Amino acid sequence: MQSSPVAPPRILLAKLGLDGHDRGVKVIARALRDAGMEVVYLGMRVTADQVAAAAAQEDVDVVGISILSGAHMRLMPRMVDALERHGLRGADADGEVLLLVGGTIPDGDVEPLRQMGVDGVFPVGTFTAAMVDFIRTGVKREAL
């Protein structure tokens, strides 16, 4: 008996804040797409509320935020809060959307980011294969 196909993970990528460097996130988007995932790139200079609203509308499994400006400790708590307010994380959520952040992130900020609710932290230089593996492990999909 042949099993039903499993839908690929859906990923929303975005650049929070005023950071205007998007080459890296576009490389990530392509790597995730090439790994068989569905990718929506929201663009640059968006707010946490815009990202959360788009994540709800697009029914994504993962929200990935790229921050090269060094503002991750100020912006990611807003992202966690916005996802909770839109019902994508927390006690009222049907399912937990995985939250990832990548960019210029010092080693000392990794654990505080995880404690605030970020599931995966990927500093500059992380291999895309590590991100793909993290997403595949973190997103549990059932056959359609």
Side-chain angles (χ1 to χ4, degrees), residues 81-117:
D81 182 55
L83 291 172
E84 288 174 357
R85 282 186 281 109
H86 281 83
L88 300 173
R89 291 180 64 104
D92 295 333
D94 289 335
E96 288 277 319
V97 168
L98 218 63
L99 178 60
L100 314 179
V101 65
T104 309
I105 300 170
D107 291 341
D109 290 346
V110 172
E111 190 54 35
L113 285 164
R114 287 189 177 132
Q115 289 176 0
M116 75 175 63

Side-chain angles (χ1 to χ4, degrees), residues 60-83:
V60 299
D61 303 298
V62 179
V63 170
I65 303 298
S66 172
I67 302 175
L68 295 172
S69 65
H72 52 277
M73 296 303 286
R74 182 174 52 84
L75 295 173
M76 290 312 290
R78 295 177 188 177
M79 190 70 250
V80 171
D81 182 55
L83 291 172

